[in-house]
Short mmCIF file of all heavy atoms in Angstrom, two decimals:
data_model
loop_
_atom_site.label_atom_id
_atom_site.label_comp_id
_atom_site.label_asym_id
_atom_site.label_seq_id
_atom_site.Cartn_x
_atom_site.Cartn_y
_atom_site.Cartn_z
N ILE A 661 -2.65 7.03 -16.36
CA ILE A 661 -3.84 6.63 -17.12
C ILE A 661 -3.85 5.12 -17.34
O ILE A 661 -4.87 4.44 -17.18
CB ILE A 661 -3.91 7.39 -18.45
CG1 ILE A 661 -4.14 8.88 -18.20
CG2 ILE A 661 -5.01 6.82 -19.34
CD1 ILE A 661 -4.00 9.75 -19.43
N TRP A 671 -9.00 -5.07 -9.68
CA TRP A 671 -10.02 -5.18 -8.63
C TRP A 671 -11.17 -6.08 -9.06
O TRP A 671 -11.73 -6.82 -8.24
CB TRP A 671 -10.52 -3.79 -8.23
CG TRP A 671 -9.64 -3.15 -7.23
CD1 TRP A 671 -8.81 -2.08 -7.42
CD2 TRP A 671 -9.45 -3.56 -5.89
NE1 TRP A 671 -8.13 -1.80 -6.27
CE2 TRP A 671 -8.50 -2.69 -5.31
CE3 TRP A 671 -9.99 -4.56 -5.10
CZ2 TRP A 671 -8.09 -2.80 -3.98
CZ3 TRP A 671 -9.58 -4.69 -3.78
CH2 TRP A 671 -8.65 -3.80 -3.23
N ALA A 689 -11.28 -20.55 4.61
CA ALA A 689 -9.88 -20.97 4.64
C ALA A 689 -9.33 -21.11 3.22
O ALA A 689 -8.17 -20.79 2.94
CB ALA A 689 -9.74 -22.29 5.39
N GLY A 820 -7.62 -9.29 -18.15
CA GLY A 820 -6.53 -9.57 -19.07
C GLY A 820 -6.41 -8.52 -20.17
O GLY A 820 -5.31 -8.07 -20.50
N ALA A 944 -16.08 -5.29 14.09
CA ALA A 944 -16.30 -6.71 14.34
C ALA A 944 -17.55 -6.95 15.16
O ALA A 944 -18.19 -8.00 15.05
CB ALA A 944 -15.08 -7.32 15.04
N THR A 969 1.70 6.70 3.98
CA THR A 969 2.71 7.30 4.85
C THR A 969 3.95 6.44 4.91
O THR A 969 5.09 6.94 4.83
CB THR A 969 2.14 7.52 6.26
OG1 THR A 969 0.97 8.32 6.19
CG2 THR A 969 3.15 8.22 7.15
N PHE A 994 5.20 -6.38 3.70
CA PHE A 994 3.81 -5.93 3.69
C PHE A 994 2.89 -6.94 3.02
O PHE A 994 1.83 -7.31 3.56
CB PHE A 994 3.73 -4.58 2.98
CG PHE A 994 2.36 -3.96 2.99
CD1 PHE A 994 1.58 -3.95 4.13
CD2 PHE A 994 1.86 -3.37 1.85
CE1 PHE A 994 0.32 -3.37 4.14
CE2 PHE A 994 0.60 -2.78 1.83
CZ PHE A 994 -0.17 -2.79 2.98
N VAL A 1035 8.78 2.33 20.94
CA VAL A 1035 10.16 2.06 20.54
C VAL A 1035 10.74 3.24 19.77
O VAL A 1035 11.86 3.68 20.03
CB VAL A 1035 10.24 0.77 19.70
CG1 VAL A 1035 11.62 0.62 19.06
CG2 VAL A 1035 9.93 -0.45 20.55
#
Side-chain angles (χ1 to χ4, degrees):
I661 293 171
W671 276 110
T969 303
F994 183 44
V1035 169

